[in-house]
């Protein structure tokens, strides 16, 4: 019985493969175009002092361009504001892992300790991921682990990217 089920399964899978057009391949993932990228900093969590410091949510507009080669797809930020922290790697690049766009990087966290107190810089490691949603948005999380200093610990916040629709054509246009 098991052999016959295996044979049926193999025949069925062969039929499905044979039904695909020759040369057909799954579509490559793409995160290209202009997006408003929002970080939900007001609701961040984690073990770091920085996770408990209040700050508002913030968003900026970025342009992404995706390129795929040898089964690896990378999207690069090609336009957008320059970060205030000079240790962030530029340009940001996200690699497709089969489910999400992932950006992993090392940098220096600039620990804020209050007005008039110098910031303390410490090594940090971040992983941000954005998962495409059926409506064209991407949602995910950004986690930073700060290795030392007064802000040592983790900071985790939700993130999202919203496509910026191209402007409509001229009034009365059928295009």
């Amino acid at each position: 019985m098991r052999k016959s089920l295996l044979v049926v399964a193999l025949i069925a899978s062969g039929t499905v493969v044979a039904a695909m057009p020759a040369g057909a391949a799954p579509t490559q993932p793409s995160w290209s175009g202009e997006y408003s990228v929002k970080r939900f900093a007001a609701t961040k969590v984690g073990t770091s002092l920085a996770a408990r410091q209040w700050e508002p949510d913030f968003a900026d507009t970025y342009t992404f361009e995706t390129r795929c080669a040898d089964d690896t797809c990378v999207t690069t930020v090609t336009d957008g504001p320059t970060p205030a922290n000079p240790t962030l790697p530029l340009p940001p690049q996200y690699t497709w892992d089969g489910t999400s766009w992932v950006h992993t990087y090392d940098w220096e966290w600039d620990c804020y300790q209050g007005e008039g107190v110098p910031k303390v810089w410490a090594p940090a490691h971040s992983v941000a991921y954005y998962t495409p949603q059926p409506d064209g948005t991407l949602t995910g999380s950004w986690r930073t682990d700060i290795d030392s200093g007064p802000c040592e610990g983790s900071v985790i916040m939700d993130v999202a990217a919203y496509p910026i629709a191209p402007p409509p054509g001229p009034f009365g246009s059928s295009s």
Side-chain angles (χ1 to χ4, degrees):
M1 178 69 171
R2 284 186 181 168
K3 276 187 181 178
S4 60
L5 285 176
L6 178 61
V7 170
V8 169
L10 289 172
I11 291 171
S13 65
T15 304
V16 171
V17 171
M20 291 180 66
T27 57
Q28 300 266 345
S30 179
W31 183 7
S32 293
E34 228 182 357
Y35 284 78
S36 174
V37 177
K38 185 169 186 176
R39 286 71 132 207
F40 297 92
T43 54
K44 64 185 181 276
V45 296
T47 61
S48 170
L49 161 71
R52 296 185 298 278
Q53 294 171 333
W54 188 87
E55 63 181 307
D57 294 343
F58 58 100
D60 292 299
T61 299
Y62 297 93
T63 302
F64 294 83
E65 184 178 313
T66 302
R67 296 197 187 273
C68 298
D70 300 326
D71 296 326
T72 300
C73 292
V74 175
T75 194
T76 303
V77 173
T78 59
D79 191 30
T82 302
N85 184 319
T87 69
L88 288 166
L90 295 175
Q93 293 188 312
Y94 297 77
T95 302
W96 182 250
D97 72 359
T99 305
S100 302
W101 293 100
V102 181
H103 180 41
T104 302
Y105 56 101
D106 295 314
W107 59 302
E108 296 284 320
W109 183 274
D110 51 337
C111 182
Y112 177 77
Q113 297 179 84
E115 192 67 36
V117 178
K119 291 182 177 181
V120 175
W121 294 77
H125 178 77
S126 290
V127 178
Y129 72 89
Y130 290 79
T131 304
Q133 303 301 308
D135 66 357
T137 63
L138 296 98
T139 60
S141 182
W142 176 19
R143 178 188 178 106
T144 299
D145 291 302
I146 305 157
D147 294 341
S148 61
C151 283
E152 182 177 4
S154 63
V155 179
I156 305 158
M157 70 178 77
D158 290 335
V159 293
Y162 306 98
I164 297 175
F171 181 74
S173 169
S174 62
S175 55

